[in-house]
Amino acid sequence: MFEPWGILVILIACPLLGGLPLIAWITYALTGKQLSEVGTRNISVSAAFYHGGRFVGILAVLSEALKGVAAVLLTRVFFPEGSFWELIALIALVIGRYWIGRGAGTTNVVWGFVVHDPLVAIFVSFFAGISFTILQSRKVVKFGVLLLFPLFVMILHLGDYPRILAAVALAGLMGWIYTKISDDMNLPAQEAQTESQAMLEFLRGDVYDGLRQRAMVSLDEELDAAIVGEKAATLSQIKRWGYPVPKGWVLAPIDDPQMLTEFLQPSELSPLVVRSSAIGEDSEHASAAGQYETVLNVTNPEALESAIAQVQASYNHPSAVQYRRDRGLNDTAMAVLIQQQVQSVYSGVAFSRDPITQQGDAIVIEALPGSPTQVVSGKVTPEQYRAFVIETENSSSVQLEGEGRVPQALIKQVAYLAHRLEKRYHGTPQDIEWSYDGQTLWVLQSRPITTLLPIWTRKIAAEVIPGVIHPLTWSINRPLTCGVWGDFFTLVLGDRASGLDFTETATLHYSRAYFNASLLGDIFIRMGLPPESLEFLTRGAKLSKPSLQSTWENLPGLGKLLKRELSLEKDFKEDYHKRFIPGLSELAQSDIDNLEPAKLLERIDLILDLLRHGTYYSILAPLSAALRQAIFRVKDGQIDNSVTPEVAALRSLSAIATDAKQVLLEFEPQQVFEQLKQTPEGEKILREFDELLQDYGYLSEVGTDISVPTWRENPQMIKQMFVQLMQGNEPQSGAKDAINSIFAGKRKRGFVQRRVDIKGRVTEVYSRLLAELRWSFIALEKIWLKSGLLKKTGDIFFLDFDEVRRLIVGDDSRLIEELDELVESRRSQFVQDSEIIQVPLLVYGNTPPHPLAPSELYSDQILQGIGASQGQAEGRVKVLRNLQDLPEIDRDTILVVPYTDSGWAPLLLRAGGLIAEAGGRLSHGAIVAREYGIPAVMDVHGATWLLQDGQRVRIDGSRGIVELSNDLRPE
């Protein structure tokens, strides 16, 4: 029993010993500094040296060395000397050091290993010392040691497999921790304690893989923008991607240029260009274009030395200083980039998006024969071109507008380069400087077009809250959505969420919702996921490979998110019975028409509290369902969506219509309801119809917009669909497909179907709460219309919720005085925005101009979208931009709509196919289309503008293709 007790002691005592914050106590006692609040916030030996000085650092080394020795000696109380359990003890010690003590445990392992196996320790130390002396690279040595010591253990203890495995596990653990913890040695040495600076400068020799001490950092390396600036770091990245970038070297701000100037030998035949690469220059926050010096045609060492000094001095030019102050940028430092100068035949700049129109897919190119400085200087008028890169699955082409002296083939090559670099930077518009020497197209610079940031996207947003949005709706939806997304991302990112403003997740442009694609992309990259992850989950977009390192770094956060996903069903059921059902029952029992404004506000606050919890499930449930469906490769047709409210409502409506046809063998479409009243059987049908309206009356044309009337308030559309169903137009797929779908769904119920069912129940709860919220505001509006505070029905939806609250409290006299003018102003803007038929899919920057009509298609005869419901159909187009007037629809009708929310679903019962401008595979229209076997293509940009009533089209719901025809018939 002695050894089991030993194992227990080791696994308990060693983590606690590792987590003991001796370094923090020593540093605080001697300097008064809290290491957890300064620098990298690591509690490490190097942090003690950096912030506390040499004496504090030495004490820190001794304290951590004693921990490592103590762990090994403790193990020897229970196990023989040299046992693999000594390495297990060090592993336990390091785990405690990382999870509790916020350090890597390097010193613990080094000294513990000296006691455990002195021979291996000597060999490893010898090779490490030689490697560092030669390479001056901490990174190489640090990770090299992690390979060496298991190797030496294997060589010297061949056959001792437990010890070898333990050594490999210890090395792997240390390597993982190194990727998780910021390196204190990367802090600026000049800011450390004076007596520690010399040592830190020596140990920091690996910042650029050993080249820093020789001051010859090249663009072939992986460079850190925080040290060498965005320009140099970006060019090094582009070069490593394989694009032609002139050979170059970088001087970091504290580097001595002497060795570099001696190494480089510029001449008349091989001139150099000296450029600025300031910290913060060419970033997403500021371009600093033209603020710093560039020196061309450097042809001798003396001129090179002078040019470097000239570029460095430009950082402190008054105009540059003022530029930084105007943009709230901190004064940092200037790195210098020296490159071989391209002998330009043609050169210029390219914008991957038009910075003037701020929309569309045009690439703007300016070009001239000769040097690129002519173009950027503004002293010469360049030739201007516009290009469009058109990509399909199998090919790509460039369409060009403009002619000049520059060869068309070169301009097309530049356009494709701009297009590819924008893609590389996850859709961020790029300002590219290029040059052509007669053989090679060189990239001289690429930076974000700061005026086109952030990028706002209608994708996803148009699905979540489509249509033109009233201020009241937005003032409620935005905080709910942004808040829940912020909670999700903070859960995964932890400390890495610092600096992210989740309130900027969504905004309104043209009174439509847009999501911040720049912010979401940044978040997903920080999470270790591809930036298009959200669109992959919700829309079926292609997914790129995530970064292994960032995924590894975020494993704890992703694990927490996975835990939330796994407990989704249990959590929702608990909230459903303890929170949502009681809350909805309380709301249903109150006499809303007799409540005073103060009581209505209490009711609204109750609903908003329930909606905050409901929003969590309304986001996580669809994502969970989509993720599981993607992982287990469950086809859309194998999923039963009968729990989804609109699907259930349509099934019930179709069943009632079938019964009504048996009661009324002959009927007048305009007199159906009157005729049904004349027989007992007909009255039963009417009662079932009224019950359906009672059960599903909370649904509306736009389920997430409280300004839109519900079915209960406006049942006319449902009545019209009921009559049309009675006229004999049954859904295409019939009961058989629905039954097959149900049984196929049951086969997958353990993994996917349960999540789809939860999603349906969440939709019901959320829609009911929003309906109750709408009815509460309507009741409040009736009171204010009666008192004269508001003038017209619907005025309340032109206020935001904070204004409604202040009006109820009655302590804002100025708001009351300006209320009429405020409402009319917003109503006028709303009407103006409503008349914009074609809003852009992407908006660049925070102040977009009036939208332009799209100028380019994928081809003359094909529109591309997302295949959302398989099958093919051919028919005549009927463009329907709203549900005010329902058209006659039959199987020859291909409906073209801006979006498909709950209220649009009944139209699909009779249509032959669906084309929607917004939406993905999980949208309402896609689900209903699959339910009834109707082919559907979603996300066809500009469809309601490009297609005309009566035009014949052929759609392929599997490939997401819409084939156009010029065949039009008179309306």
Side-chain angles (χ1 to χ4, degrees):
M1 293 295 292
F2 192 56
E3 287 190 355
W5 276 108
I7 295 172
L8 187 62
V9 170
I10 289 170
L11 296 181
I12 294 175
C14 288
L16 294 176
L17 179 64
L20 201 63
L22 296 180
I23 296 176
W25 293 343
I26 291 169
T27 306
Y28 183 73
L30 296 179
T31 67
K33 293 181 179 178
Q34 294 277 11
L35 290 181
S36 61
E37 298 176 359
V38 296
T40 61
R41 295 177 172 82
N42 294 339
I43 302 175
S44 65
V45 168
S46 52
F49 270 107
Y50 188 91
H51 299 289
R54 187 180 303 157
F55 181 64
V56 173
I58 291 172
L59 291 179
V61 170
L62 292 175
S63 69
E64 293 306 303
L66 286 173
K67 286 184 183 180
V69 172
V72 174
L73 295 180
L74 175 64
T75 307
R76 292 181 180 177
V77 174
F78 304 97
F79 299 95
E81 182 177 336
S83 165
F84 76 92
W85 284 105
E86 293 176 6
L87 295 181
I88 300 298
L90 289 178
I91 290 173
L93 184 76
V94 169
I95 290 173
R97 184 78 179 85
Y98 173 69
W99 289 107
I100 305 173
R102 296 174 65 179
T106 304
T107 307
N108 306 136
V109 172
V110 168
W111 288 96
F113 213 89
V114 167
V115 177
H116 166 71
D117 196 329
L119 190 59
V120 170
I122 290 170
F123 276 116
V124 172
S125 300
F126 177 73
F127 280 98
I130 291 177
S131 300
F132 187 74
T133 302
I134 296 173
L135 299 175
Q136 288 285 302
S137 174
R138 270 184 308 108
K139 181 181 288 187
V140 171
V141 173
K142 184 165 61 176
F143 285 95
V145 164
L146 296 181
L147 295 174
L148 280 176
F149 90 77
L151 181 62
F152 280 123
V153 169
M154 188 182 303
I155 294 171
L156 296 177
H157 303 283
L158 193 62
D160 190 349
Y161 298 114
R163 183 187 289 206
I164 293 171
L165 289 175
V168 171
L170 178 57
L173 175 63
M174 295 296 294
W176 179 77
I177 290 175
Y178 287 154
T179 66
K180 298 290 292 181
I181 286 185
S182 302
D183 194 340
D184 297 284
M185 292 294 180
N186 285 338
L187 294 170
Q190 63 270 24
E191 295 180 13
Q193 291 296 305
T194 304
E195 66 268 25
S196 301
Q197 288 182 7
M199 178 192 69
L200 288 169
E201 286 178 356
F202 174 72
L203 291 176
R204 280 167 53 87
D206 72 326
V207 173
Y208 300 116
D209 294 337
L211 294 174
R212 185 181 186 83
Q213 292 298 315
R214 296 192 295 273
M216 290 192 301
V217 181
S218 84
L219 290 180
D220 296 321
E221 338 268 328
E222 182 177 354
L223 304 182
D224 185 350
I227 297 173
V228 301
E230 292 281 352
K231 182 182 293 180
T234 299
L235 285 175
S236 74
Q237 184 178 53
I238 292 172
K239 198 173 197 303
R240 285 181 286 109
W241 283 340
Y243 294 92
V245 173
K247 190 170 181 60
W249 301 265
V250 185
L251 277 171
I254 63 172
D255 282 340
D256 183 349
Q258 182 179 353
M259 295 190 72
L260 183 59
T261 55
E262 292 175 357
F263 171 76
L264 297 175
Q265 294 295 320
S267 66
E268 295 286 347
L269 295 177
S270 182
L272 299 177
V273 56
V274 181
R275 313 172 67 192
S276 65
S277 185
I279 315 300
E281 179 185 5
D282 290 349
S283 68
E284 291 192 2
H285 306 290
S287 67
Q291 297 301 316
Y292 307 119
E293 292 285 347
T294 295
V295 181
L296 301 171
N297 297 312
V298 176
T299 57
N300 59 70
E302 294 77 18
L304 176 59
E305 187 174 342
S306 173
I308 291 171
Q310 183 179 341
V311 171
Q312 288 175 328
S314 70
Y315 189 76
N316 294 315
H317 283 178
S319 61
V321 173
Q322 189 62 46
Y323 176 88
R324 295 194 297 271
R325 288 177 181 171
D326 291 344
R327 284 151 185 80
L329 303 175
N330 296 326
D331 288 335
T332 50
M334 169 75 80
V336 178
L337 173 62
I338 301 103
Q339 289 181 275
Q340 291 181 342
Q341 184 166 315
V342 176
Q343 302 303 309
S344 305
V345 177
Y346 300 102
S347 55
V349 294
F351 299 97
S352 64
R353 299 279 163 167
D354 191 333
I356 305 303
T357 64
Q358 296 182 236
Q359 55 191 291
D361 298 326
I363 297 168
V364 179
I365 300 169
E366 295 184 344
L368 271 179
S371 167
T373 56
Q374 298 180 87
V375 179
V376 298
S377 69
K379 297 178 181 178
V380 180
T381 302
E383 298 173 358
Q384 295 192 356
Y385 303 85
R386 287 170 63 85
F388 300 87
V389 176
I390 302 168
E391 287 189 321
T392 62
E393 290 185 5
N394 303 316
S395 65
S396 61
S397 61
V398 179
Q399 294 182 4
L400 197 61
E401 296 177 359
E403 293 183 0
R405 290 173 292 171
V406 183
Q408 299 277 296
L410 175 60
I411 296 298
K412 289 184 178 182
Q413 190 178 351
V414 171
Y416 195 69
L417 170 69
H419 178 72
R420 295 303 302 169
L421 283 178
E422 180 183 279
K423 273 194 166 185
R424 277 285 193 172
Y425 285 106
H426 310 299
T428 299
Q430 295 293 302
D431 171 0
I432 299 156
E433 190 175 321
W434 58 272
S435 187
Y436 179 67
D437 62 5
Q439 293 183 326
T440 304
L441 175 61
W442 296 96
V443 179
L444 305 183
Q445 178 176 295
S446 186
R447 63 188 177 197
I449 305 176
T450 54
T451 57
L452 298 187
L453 295 175
I455 305 171
W456 301 94
T457 176
R458 275 287 282 162
K459 290 185 177 181
I460 314 302
E463 202 168 323
V464 174
I465 180 167
V468 191
I469 302 169
H470 289 77
L472 182 58
T473 299
W474 188 242
S475 68
I476 289 169
N477 284 41
R478 183 174 182 267
L480 288 173
T481 304
C482 295
V484 172
W485 277 119
D487 291 343
F488 277 131
F489 297 140
T490 302
L491 175 73
V492 176
L493 292 171
D495 293 340
R496 285 183 296 280
S498 176
L500 295 174
D501 185 359
F502 296 113
T503 63
E504 296 299 317
T505 304
T507 193
L508 286 184
H509 293 302
Y510 317 114
S511 296
R512 274 88 166 181
Y514 283 81
F515 280 173
N516 190 333
S518 300
L519 175 62
L520 291 175
D522 185 13
I523 290 169
F524 284 126
I525 290 170
R526 293 193 191 191
M527 289 171 63
L529 300 172
E532 69 275 15
S533 297
L534 183 62
E535 295 203 0
F536 164 71
L537 291 175
T538 56
R539 305 171 67 81
K542 292 182 179 179
L543 192 66
S544 62
K545 187 178 180 180
S547 163
L548 182 61
Q549 179 179 349
S550 56
T551 303
W552 182 264
E553 290 174 354
N554 286 283
L555 275 179
L558 293 172
K560 293 177 184 177
L561 193 60
L562 176 61
K563 184 179 178 181
R564 292 279 188 96
E565 195 279 337
L566 293 174
S567 65
L568 174 64
E569 185 172 7
K570 177 179 71 68
D571 293 343
F572 177 71
K573 284 182 178 179
E574 184 175 344
D575 272 342
Y576 186 78
H577 293 292
K578 293 183 178 180
R579 191 188 304 272
F580 296 127
I581 293 300
L584 286 168
S585 297
E586 179 182 343
L587 293 170
Q589 291 170 8
S590 61
D591 187 1
I592 191 173
D593 293 326
N594 293 318
L595 295 180
E596 295 296 320
K599 290 296 182 181
L600 285 170
L601 182 59
E602 290 180 9
R603 175 188 171 90
I604 290 168
D605 285 334
L606 168 63
I607 297 170
L608 289 177
D609 181 63
L610 292 171
L611 280 171
R612 287 186 191 97
H613 291 87
T615 302
Y616 166 80
Y617 295 109
S618 73
I619 290 176
L620 184 57
L623 292 182
S624 172
L627 185 60
R628 289 189 173 210
Q629 185 179 353
I631 290 173
F632 296 106
R633 299 187 178 184
V634 178
K635 295 180 180 179
D636 294 328
Q638 295 176 307
I639 294 174
D640 174 25
N641 290 287
S642 59
V643 178
T644 304
E646 56 264 38
V647 172
L650 293 178
R651 287 185 176 182
S652 297
L653 187 68
S654 180
I656 296 172
T658 299
D659 292 341
K661 281 165 47 176
Q662 296 176 357
V663 173
L664 294 179
L665 299 178
E666 295 183 4
F667 58 88
E668 291 293 329
Q670 304 299 324
Q671 304 294 324
V672 165
F673 287 87
E674 287 74 12
Q675 289 180 262
L676 286 172
K677 290 179 183 178
Q678 298 173 6
T679 65
E681 294 83 0
E683 289 182 346
K684 180 184 176 184
I685 297 295
L686 292 177
R687 286 194 297 272
E688 291 176 356
F689 183 86
D690 289 339
E691 288 174 4
L692 182 143
L693 274 181
Q694 186 67 28
D695 291 339
Y696 298 103
Y698 58 86
L699 295 175
S700 70
E701 176 185 335
V702 184
T704 52
D705 190 346
I706 60 172
S707 67
V708 178
T710 60
W711 287 2
R712 190 178 81 178
E713 299 167 69
N714 182 21
Q716 188 59 34
M717 182 185 69
I718 304 302
K719 289 184 176 181
Q720 289 183 17
M721 292 308 304
F722 176 74
V723 173
Q724 290 179 3
L725 285 170
M726 286 183 63
Q727 289 176 300
N729 294 293
E730 294 294 335
Q732 242 176 1
S733 60
K736 182 179 178 181
D737 288 345
I739 293 171
N740 288 339
S741 173
I742 292 172
F743 280 109
K746 286 182 178 178
R747 290 196 297 269
K748 302 293 183 179
R749 189 172 295 276
F751 298 107
V752 180
Q753 188 61 51
R754 280 204 295 266
R755 287 296 182 267
V756 175
D757 291 344
I758 290 172
K759 178 190 167 209
R761 289 198 291 271
V762 168
T763 301
E764 178 188 357
V765 169
Y766 204 74
S767 299
R768 285 184 182 276
L769 288 171
L770 286 174
E772 292 288 352
L773 187 63
R774 168 181 167 79
W775 296 332
S776 300
F777 280 117
I778 288 176
L780 182 61
E781 183 183 56
K782 288 178 180 177
I783 295 173
W784 285 347
L785 286 170
K786 189 174 181 180
S787 68
L789 186 62
L790 296 178
K791 306 302 182 186
K792 302 176 185 176
T793 300
D795 277 357
I796 196 169
F797 295 106
F798 292 103
L799 303 174
D800 65 40
F801 182 53
D802 179 64
E803 291 164 346
V804 170
R805 186 182 294 278
R806 281 152 50 200
L807 288 173
I808 292 174
V809 174
D811 59 355
D812 193 336
S813 57
R814 183 175 179 181
L815 175 61
I816 295 173
E817 291 174 3
E818 299 175 351
L819 191 60
D820 290 347
E821 183 179 347
L822 178 67
V823 169
E824 282 306 312
S825 172
R826 290 177 180 172
R827 185 188 293 274
S828 174
Q829 184 63 52
F830 183 85
V831 171
Q832 181 179 331
D833 290 341
S834 301
E835 292 172 351
I836 300 174
I837 297 174
Q838 188 59 42
V839 297
L841 180 66
L842 297 174
V843 163
Y844 297 92
N846 290 314
T847 55
H850 192 83
L852 301 173
S855 57
E856 295 296 320
L857 306 180
Y858 287 93
S859 78
D860 292 337
Q861 297 298 322
I862 294 178
L863 298 177
Q864 179 74 56
I866 293 175
S869 180
Q870 64 182 358
Q872 298 178 345
E874 186 172 347
R876 299 281 182 178
V877 163
K878 181 61 185 177
V879 178
L880 196 63
R881 295 191 174 93
N882 56 60
L883 291 179
Q884 302 304 315
D885 299 308
L886 294 182
E888 288 294 326
I889 298 171
D890 55 31
R891 289 297 175 206
D892 189 50
T893 303
I894 305 296
L895 274 178
V896 181
V897 299
Y899 56 86
T900 55
D901 211 306
S902 307
W904 298 79
L907 297 177
L908 304 184
L909 285 168
R910 305 188 61 220
L914 172 69
I915 301 170
E917 289 186 323
R921 293 170 52 249
L922 300 182
S923 61
H924 297 275
I927 291 171
V928 175
R930 291 194 295 269
E931 177 76 12
Y932 291 101
I934 302 167
V937 181
M938 321 299 286
D939 195 38
V940 181
H941 185 43
T944 62
W945 182 83
L946 295 168
L947 299 175
Q948 304 176 43
D949 282 349
Q951 184 174 7
R952 183 162 287 277
V953 298
R954 185 174 183 273
I955 67 174
D956 187 326
S958 302
R959 295 188 299 156
I961 295 294
V962 179
E963 297 180 36
L964 310 183
S965 169
N966 294 323
D967 177 17
L968 295 173
R969 67 181 182 191
E971 289 298 312

